[in-house]
């Protein structure tokens, strides 16, 4: 009897191992601070992103994907924990993830426990690795530093003078006289990721590639500046001079941060745009190295590829420079997903060249990947899966996407056509994307839109978690 039980146990373990072996790999790629200035999203006419475009063309491109939060830390924490800010209480960059959610099992650890090898490189969480969540990390899991060595000019700032203590030290731009290899940083990250894709694995992998550009500073090798001569630079298509006049006071305060005025004062608006385009072009080239490595990999036809950015970025739209806002230029993100045939949650795989306009949130990537890979749903999160949209991008989708700003009462809600922004004190904005894709006309105060405004209010999140306070 005991022998029989032992044999059955062994067979069961073997069966589980075999099920894990047949599961698809996941290549999880993040870019940092990338808005819609990529070819296939059409955000800026001069941008050069052949590799983002080829990845989008090979799977499903989401054109109405939104971040759960408009800054790095809460956005990334929501993606990795599957819990949005109004459930976790993590709303802004100064909060420490492990103080807010000490026990949370993050995406890579969840995959690891299900038989995957989980590894990563570069920025995935907010300037930490969180070592217990991973089986391996480059450059050094033990040091909890996600960044390989990166070249920096000796004398700083290079171009944009410091405006004061309020100015982020990395807001600066320059074409560097170095090769990609000498620059290091994302080049080293993508080299290591490429090596992992090429080598043999005895388990399926969850491999996370964090490309840091176009995050500031906008320093990249000079060849990436060359396609964008300064005299040719076009201003952001979403800029309108008197755009903030129809915003409520909270919106106006948020819009007019000091950066854009400072950059204009020093006549560097075009230089900044040029450097952002160059940084995107560089990030795209680094992505190309990863996609090329996957193409040559024995795992090519058994790997799900997901690419996202943690939030968008303003370059003068609404007199704003940076992030932290609820407008579409900041809340909307690139998202593309390619699923190979045979994935448990989508056996037919995705159809190349698909485009989806349904409003989706990055917080659903956790549930989506569990579903696609045939893992059990995680017990303590919503587990909404985007698989129905990956199967049919025009499928009915009764969900709106929620984007939080820095506190519970400040948020934006996105449906396919409408956008609603709410600030503490019940100040509101309403936009119709069908007639106004750049959100130039705030309809919240116009009586003929009162019904739509009331409809959007009904989508507001309930039972908002307070901002989690660290223990003294
Ligand atoms: Ca970011
Ligand atoms: Ca306006």
């Amino acid at each position: 009897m005991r022998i029989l039980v032992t044999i059955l146990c062994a067979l069961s373990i073997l069966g589980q191992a075999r099920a894990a072996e047949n599961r698809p790999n996941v290549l999880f790629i993040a870019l940092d601070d990338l808005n819609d200035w990529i070819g296939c999203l059409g955000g800026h006419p001069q941008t050069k992103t052949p590799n983002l475009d080829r990845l989008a063309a090979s799977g499903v491109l989401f054109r109405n994907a939104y971040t759960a939060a408009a800054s790095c830390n809460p956005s990334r924490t929501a993606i990795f924990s599957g819990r949005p800010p109004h459930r976790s209480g993590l709303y802004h960059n100064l909060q420490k993830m492990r103080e807010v959610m000490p026990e949370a099992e993050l995406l890579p650890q969840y995959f690891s426990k299900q038989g995957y090898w989980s590894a990563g490189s570069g920025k995935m969480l907010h300037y930490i690795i969180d070592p217990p969540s991973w089986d391996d990390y480059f450059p050094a899991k033990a040091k909890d530093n996600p960044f390989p060595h990166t070249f920096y000019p000796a004398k700083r700032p290079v171009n944009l003078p410091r405006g004061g203590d309020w100015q982020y030290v990395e807001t600066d731009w320059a074409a560097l006289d170095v090769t990609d290899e000498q620059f290091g940083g994302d080049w080293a990250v993508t080299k290591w990721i490429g090596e992992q894709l090429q080598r043999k694995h005895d388990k399926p992998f969850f491999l996370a590639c964090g490309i840091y550009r176009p995050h500031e500073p906008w320093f990249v090798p000079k060849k990436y500046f060359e396609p964008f001569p300064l005299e040719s630079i076009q201003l952001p298509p979403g800029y309108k001079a008197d755009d903030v006049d129809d915003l409520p006071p909270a919106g106006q305060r948020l819009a007019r941060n000091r950066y854009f005025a400072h950059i204009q004062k020093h006549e560097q608006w075009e230089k900044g745009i040029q450097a952002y385009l160059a940084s995107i072009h560089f990030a795209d080239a680094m992505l190309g190295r990863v996609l090329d490595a996957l193409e040559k990999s024995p795992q090519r036809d058994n790997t799900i590829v997901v690419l996202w950015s943690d939030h968008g970025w303003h370059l003068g739209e609404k007199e704003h420079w940076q992030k932290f806002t609820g407008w579409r230029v900041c809340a909307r993100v690139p998202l593309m997903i390619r699923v190979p045939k045979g994935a448990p949650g989508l056996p037919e795989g995705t159809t190349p060249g698909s485009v989806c306009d349904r409003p989706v949130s990055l917080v659903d990537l956790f549930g989506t990947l569990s579903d696609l890979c045939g893992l059990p749903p995680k017990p303590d999160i919503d587990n909404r899966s985007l698989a129905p949209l990956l199967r049919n991008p025009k499928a009915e989708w009764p969900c709106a996407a929620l984007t939080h700003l820095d506190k519970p009462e400040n948020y934006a809600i996105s449906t396919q056509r409408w956008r609603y922004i709410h600030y503490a004190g019940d100040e509101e904005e309403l936009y119709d994307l069908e007639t106004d894709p750049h959100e130039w006309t705030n309809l919240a105060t116009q009586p003929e839109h009162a019904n739509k405004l009331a409809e959007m209010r009904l989508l507001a999140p309930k039972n908002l978690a307070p901002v989690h306070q660290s223990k003294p």
Side-chain angles (χ1 to χ4, degrees), residues 142-154:
K143 285 186 181 163
D144 205 3
N145 172 14
F147 296 108
H149 175 75
T150 308
F151 179 89
Y152 278 81

Side-chain angles (χ1 to χ4, degrees), residues 34-39 41-44 47-49 52 234-237 273 276-277 280 313 315 317 329:
L34 175 64
N35 63 15
D36 66 351
W37 289 18
I38 62 179
L41 289 177
H44 192 285
T47 200
K48 287 200 184 321
T49 56
L52 282 154
Q234 297 177 35
L235 300 181
I273 293 167
Y276 189 60
L277 289 167
I280 293 170
W313 187 270
L315 292 99
E317 298 93 339
V329 60

